[in-house]
């Protein structure tokens, strides 16, 4: 009957023995073991544990329809990225974190449309082809993109200054698997630091910046969906991303182009910035 | 630069290297290792991880001035009890969980006062002496008590049916270290199950009940404060407390007494229930 530092874990693990769903049972029992190991190793005082409870409560208080502080916490602890990496598919484009800003549905747009609704200065064309691991183009694949402005803000962060859907678009590839759209070159930016996760970063002397990137979720019937980024090669913070999401294979050159023919084709004026990011989807197993 | 399942932990642990406060640095680095081990061992899908994020968000949503769902979560995972046990003091009265209901200040009361403001049926007198580990009585020690009604509810759970402070009292021991007060015999009760922690208990086929108990926090100048319970010996659920807080040494016999002299002394009518719970405080180190 007695609960001791030694017997604690088997008592709690045992309490989950009757869980009908075997996966839930496994997760709760493994969680209990690691959580108790963490507590035994750090031996928090009651005051320290209360501080942890208050921190989690505060994280909860900051969550709203347009803010997900728990995802942010998972991000800065590298957990989101670890989960993405564990679920990656050999041979397909590497995945990276979803991040906290994919909270509104991207508006459906036509190939070639601009997702920049506020008129940025460094006009950019992003192009690419979605293919299978054997190189076949995938027609009618969904390419959901979202990114920040040249100033480093997403639409949901500036409801007064950006129309909803700015920097967002849901495209479908053409018969040759191609997608293309107009935008602006995104900026590096700090993750939101006005909440408890920002306080944690400050207290641990970590900067909150992410290197510049365009988010993508690419999907096609019968293939594994991939959540990834196109990172702007050479951007600040590529070696110290606050959420650990950088992978070498996701670095994309955003190149200044003076090709007037290409500019006309994409409906922009030369010079413009061109980024090409091809995607490989893995067949669903 | 690449983040892999193998390199993930050292990257995140390293990000905390510059934390100025050594204790915070230690806690964050140990947390990172155990959290990543948990993720690697369970290998959650992205959907499962989202479910975990939504669960924590929901726990946060249920927190208010009168509800602490994160403490409840910590309780049902045995973590609150583990922290209390780690911080126990050899030779002193054993500690147990604070629980989620010590959220309002207990009203200051005089020795012998009743904390039952609504007129329960099984009138009970709780008495005891607070002593040092060498047996010396401790005068003017603070004895903060709180308990549920005979129906199993705390005042904060029934603001319409119980006056604030019902079942609560802050007493000070007399010159001989004694405390005594009138109350009713508390009931076993379920922890709140209308929130996400209740949903978790349901999904894992765990019952939400706690054996009957009176909460106490006992403190004296120069001594370690103890947060503990007096459990009603023989109560239902003493072998399967939902929050794992039972310790053999905290079992107290609540005895039916027909002693008319004692009844008069305590200002109750015979027969009444008498419980004696002595407390030993450890000197502050």
């Amino acid at each position: 009957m007695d609960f001791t530092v030694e017997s604690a874990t088997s008592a709690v693990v045992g309490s989950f023995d009757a869980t009908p769903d075997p996966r839930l049972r496994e997760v709760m029992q493994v969680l209990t073991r690691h959580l108790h190991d963490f507590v035994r190793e750090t031996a928090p005082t009651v005051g320290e544990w209360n501080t942890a409870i208050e921190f989690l409560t505060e994280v909860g208080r900051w969550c709203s329809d347009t803010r997900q502080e728990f995802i942010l916490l998972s991000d800065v602890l590298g957990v989101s990225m670890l989960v993405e990496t564990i679920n990656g598919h050999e041979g397909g484009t590497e995945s990276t974190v979803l991040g906290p800003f994919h909270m509104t549905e991207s508006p459906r747009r036509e190939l070639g449309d601009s997702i920049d609704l506020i008129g940025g200065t460094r006009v950019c064309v992003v192009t690419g082809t979605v293919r299978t691991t054997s190189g076949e183009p995938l027609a009618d694949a969904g390419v959901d993109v979202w990114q920040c402005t040249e100033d480093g803000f997403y639409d949901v962060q500036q409801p007064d200054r950006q129309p909803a859907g700015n920097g967002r678009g849901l495209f479908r590839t053409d018969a040759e698997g191609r997608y293309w759209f107009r935008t602006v070159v995104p900026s590096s930016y700090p993750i939101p630091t006005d909440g408890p996760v920002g306080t944690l970063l400050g207290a641990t002397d970590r900067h909150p910046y992410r290197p510049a990137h365009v988010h993508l979720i690419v999907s096609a019937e019968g293939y594994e969906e991939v959540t990834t980024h196109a990172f702007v090669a050479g951007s600040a913070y590529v070696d110290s991303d606050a959420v650990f999401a950088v992978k070498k294979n996701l670095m994309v050159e955003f190149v200044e182009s003076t090709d007037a023919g290409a500019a006309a084709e994409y409906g922009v004026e030369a010079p413009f910035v061109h980024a090409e990011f091809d995607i490989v989807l893995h067949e669903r197993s």
Side-chain angles (χ1 to χ4, degrees), chain A:
Chain A
M1 182 203 294
D2 246 25
F3 186 99
T4 67
V5 172
E6 294 70 34
S7 71
T9 307
S10 64
V12 181
V13 166
S15 77
F16 289 114
D17 277 347
T19 304
D21 180 70
R23 176 59 171 162
L24 181 60
R25 179 167 66 237
E26 177 193 16
V27 168
M28 293 313 299
Q29 293 186 328
V30 175
L31 173 68
T32 299
R33 286 197 287 100
H34 288 292
L35 190 56
H36 284 205
D37 283 347
F38 162 66
V39 171
R40 268 186 291 259
E41 187 170 343
T42 50
T45 64
V46 172
E48 286 176 332
W49 192 249
N50 289 342
T51 301
I53 294 283
E54 283 161 21
F55 177 79
L56 290 171
T57 307
E58 193 62 14
V59 171
R61 195 166 314 161
W62 275 77
C63 289
S64 70
D65 286 350
T66 53
R67 177 79 174 254
Q68 229 309 351
E69 197 79 357
F70 277 110
I71 291 185
L72 213 53
L73 180 60
S74 170
D75 289 352
V76 302
L77 294 177
V79 174
S80 309
M81 191 54 195
L82 188 55
V83 171
E84 280 296 340
T85 304
I86 284 171
N87 287 283
H89 297 281
E90 201 91 1
T93 295
E94 286 191 272
S95 62
T96 187
V97 298
L98 177 68
F101 293 117
H102 191 253
M103 51 208 359
T104 62
E105 224 169 293
S106 299
R108 180 80 176 82
R109 301 193 197 277
E110 299 305 316
L111 290 169
D113 278 358
S114 180
I115 64 172
D116 169 29
L117 311 179
I118 61 172
T121 58
R122 286 194 73 203
V123 173
C124 171
V125 175
V126 178
T127 65
T129 301
V130 181
R131 293 193 180 85
T132 68
T133 49
S134 52
E136 297 301 310
L138 279 165
D140 203 36
V143 180
D144 184 355
V145 303
W146 68 105
Q147 67 166 70
C148 67
T149 60
E150 293 178 307
D151 298 330
F153 294 99
Y154 290 83
D155 57 351
V156 291
Q157 294 177 290
Q158 295 187 315
D160 300 339
R161 298 173 60 181
Q162 297 184 43
N166 187 45
R168 300 177 192 269
L170 176 57
F171 299 92
R172 302 210 76 92
T173 56
D174 70 8
E176 281 78 46
R178 293 176 306 184
Y179 73 91
W180 66 98
F181 62 90
R182 288 171 291 148
T183 182
V184 287
V185 180
S187 170
S188 60
Y189 64 83
I191 61 171
T193 55
D194 50 346
V197 172
T199 304
L200 175 66
L201 292 183
T204 56
D205 220 10
R206 282 178 51 175
H207 75 70
Y209 286 90
R210 302 214 54 212
H213 59 274
V214 176
H215 291 269
L216 301 95
I217 295 176
V218 183
S219 57
E221 192 69 31
Y223 292 82
E224 296 287 353
E225 181 177 282
V226 65
T227 298
T228 191
H229 291 14
F231 286 98
V232 179
S235 166
Y237 311 109
V238 285
D239 288 323
S240 63
D241 184 356
V243 307
F244 307 96
V246 175
K247 291 185 172 180
K248 278 195 291 280
N249 293 333
L250 303 178
M251 284 293 162
V252 177
E253 297 293 335
F254 280 62
V255 187
E256 198 88 6
S257 168
T258 53
D259 184 336
E265 186 186 335
Y266 295 127
V268 297
E269 285 179 20
F272 67 102
V273 177
H274 184 199
E276 182 134 17
F277 187 52
D278 292 339
I279 301 281
V280 178
L281 293 188
H282 199 278
E283 259 184 68
R284 191 160 286 164
S285 46

